[in-house]
Structures are given as structure tokens and as C-alpha cells.
Amino acid sequence: MSKLRVKPADIAVHGEAVVCVSPRENNKSSMYYVLQSLKEELPKVVVQGIPEVARAVIHIDEQKGKNKYKLLVEGDNLRAVMATHGVNGSRATSNNTYE
């Protein structure tokens, strides 16, 4: 938060997927420059999770009346994904040759 110069009182969470940031104009810069700074810096903020992972989807595979759940992850850092609570690390695979 210190990098963004936004106070916790200016952040509101509306549901699981919506976070609202209400910037305030300060004496050093106008609202235009504050908004431009937020527009540049907000996409770099990791709200929760692994910074190297861009997207994660839970896939339900139905076989013989039994549901099997798979976590499909887009990004790097297989080790961090394997260490995530609820992931069976011994069955995790990657198509990244370095990992």
C-alpha cells in the first residue's frame, strides 16, 4: 500500500471479485495525476496468491459418475503451486521444461 500511496480507508471490497479504490487528491498532485499513477500501478498489485501465476481455473472432470477436480494454472513457479494448501503436490505436472 505504501507504494501506491493509498490508505486502507480508501479501499472497499465488494464481493469476491470486486475491489474498489477511491483515490483522494492531495496537495502535491491533482486528481488527474493520482488517477494516472493508479492506472499504471494497480495491475501490478497481487491481491492474493502467487505473483508468477497469471490465472488459475478449477476444472471438474466427470468420470463414471465421480467428479475429479483439476487446477489448471497459467504461469510459472510449480514449486509454489505444489505447496499450496489443498493441492496434491505428488500429482502436479508442468509443461515448462525448466521446472
Side-chain angles (χ1 to χ4, degrees):
M1 292 213 195
S2 63
K3 189 175 185 181
L4 292 176
R5 297 182 193 102
V6 178
K7 296 179 181 177
D10 296 337
I11 299 173
V13 178
H14 301 286
E16 292 183 18
V18 180
V19 177
C20 294
V21 178
S22 303
R24 295 186 185 184
E25 187 174 0
N26 57 24
N27 56 359
K28 293 183 181 180
S29 59
S30 68
M31 182 60 80
Y32 174 78
Y33 293 112
V34 172
L35 289 174
Q36 291 301 317
S37 171
L38 284 175
K39 182 179 173 183
E40 183 178 322
E41 294 297 324
L42 276 177
K44 300 174 189 173
V45 173
V46 176
V47 176
Q48 182 179 1
I50 304 166
E52 294 86 6
V53 172
R55 183 173 53 168
V57 178
I58 298 174
H59 174 70
I60 302 172
D61 196 11
E62 297 179 14
Q63 294 177 351
K64 300 176 186 173
K66 190 175 179 183
N67 289 343
K68 212 177 208 182
Y69 296 94
K70 293 182 180 180
L71 180 66
L72 306 175
V73 178
E74 182 180 304
D76 292 333
N77 205 348
L78 177 64
R79 183 181 296 167
V81 172
M82 290 172 66
T84 302
H85 178 71
V87 174
N88 187 350
S90 63
R91 299 184 68 195
T93 60
S94 174
N95 61 354
N96 188 334
T97 55
Y98 290 119
E99 295 187 7

